[in-house]
Amino acid sequence: MLARLAAMLAAALAAGHGCAVDGPRGADLAPAAMLSGFDFTAPAGRWRLPDRLAEVSGLVDDGAGGLLAHHDNGAALWRLTLGPTLRADPLPGDSSPPGDFEGIARRDGTLWLLASPGLVYRSSITPAGTTAWQQVPATARGACGFEGIETGPDGGLLLACKYPQNPQPGLVWLYRLPAEGGAAEAMA
């Protein structure tokens, strides 16, 4: 179900639907019909997180039936195994870069972390943990207050921005960034 929801969100964002203001609720990322198969009235599960994950800012499928999570202030990764109880294990590997992190994305064995000013970091995930984090050369820095990252169907990255340089209440801006770095372009 997690993979299906992520795929639908990525498809909606990549298709250029963008965001629409829907009355006082603010921005909707996808038309209501796309989400009609999901029941949001009750949680699918509830688990107690360890104190170090009190403010989870990013979740991504780990490719092995669990999730990877990171805290907002500092991007140390945790592997979450869901079941009757939650198992949360720190993911071994090189230390993450410092900063205020807003999202994580994964494609195959590559992870990306997004820092709020638009800095993107890349690492590989192996059975032993993560490799050294490298900053992706990108020109999105300072464009906005970024809040989310996802891999696009073309292999690039989609960055969600809630505070562009010229804010427009109720709108979320999307930027596309080549996965290897380069100029970020705003999606219309």
Side-chain angles (χ1 to χ4, degrees), residues 42-124:
R46 180 174 282 178
W47 297 270
R48 182 177 260 324
L49 292 171
D51 289 343
R52 290 188 178 176
L53 285 173
E55 190 179 345
V56 170
S57 200
L59 287 172
V60 70
D61 173 36
D62 70 358
L67 297 170
L68 296 176
H70 70 83
H71 191 277
D72 183 60
N73 297 315
L77 296 180
W78 291 70
R79 176 163 282 139
L80 305 179
T81 305
L82 308 176
T85 60
L86 174 75
R87 180 174 170 176
D89 298 305
L91 191 67
D94 284 7
S95 60
S96 59
D100 176 28
F101 289 90
E102 302 299 339
I104 185 170
R106 182 189 66 82
R107 181 180 300 272
D108 301 322
T110 303
L111 295 172
W112 290 272
L113 283 171
L114 173 66
S116 62
L119 300 174
V120 177
Y121 297 88
R122 179 181 48 240
S123 177
S124 294

Side-chain angles (χ1 to χ4, degrees), residues 84-184:
T85 60
L86 174 75
R87 180 174 170 176
D89 298 305
L91 191 67
D94 284 7
S95 60
S96 59
D100 176 28
F101 289 90
E102 302 299 339
I104 185 170
R106 182 189 66 82
R107 181 180 300 272
D108 301 322
T110 303
L111 295 172
W112 290 272
L113 283 171
L114 173 66
S116 62
L119 300 174
V120 177
Y121 297 88
R122 179 181 48 240
S123 177
S124 294
I125 186 167
T126 70
T130 57
T131 60
W133 290 94
Q134 302 292 321
Q135 186 174 335
V136 174
T139 58
R141 184 176 182 155
C144 11
F146 288 97
E147 287 292 331
I149 185 170
E150 181 55 83
T151 56
D154 65 353
L157 302 172
L158 302 174
L159 310 177
C161 163
K162 69 176 182 178
Y163 298 120
Q165 290 178 346
N166 298 312
Q168 295 178 359
L171 296 180
V172 173
W173 289 48
L174 295 177
Y175 286 81
R176 186 194 168 283
L177 176 70
E180 299 304 314

Side-chain angles (χ1 to χ4, degrees), residues 16-38:
H17 294 299
C19 302
V21 175
D22 186 18
R25 293 185 318 140
D28 284 335
L29 291 176
M34 290 183 71
L35 300 176
S36 64
F38 295 94

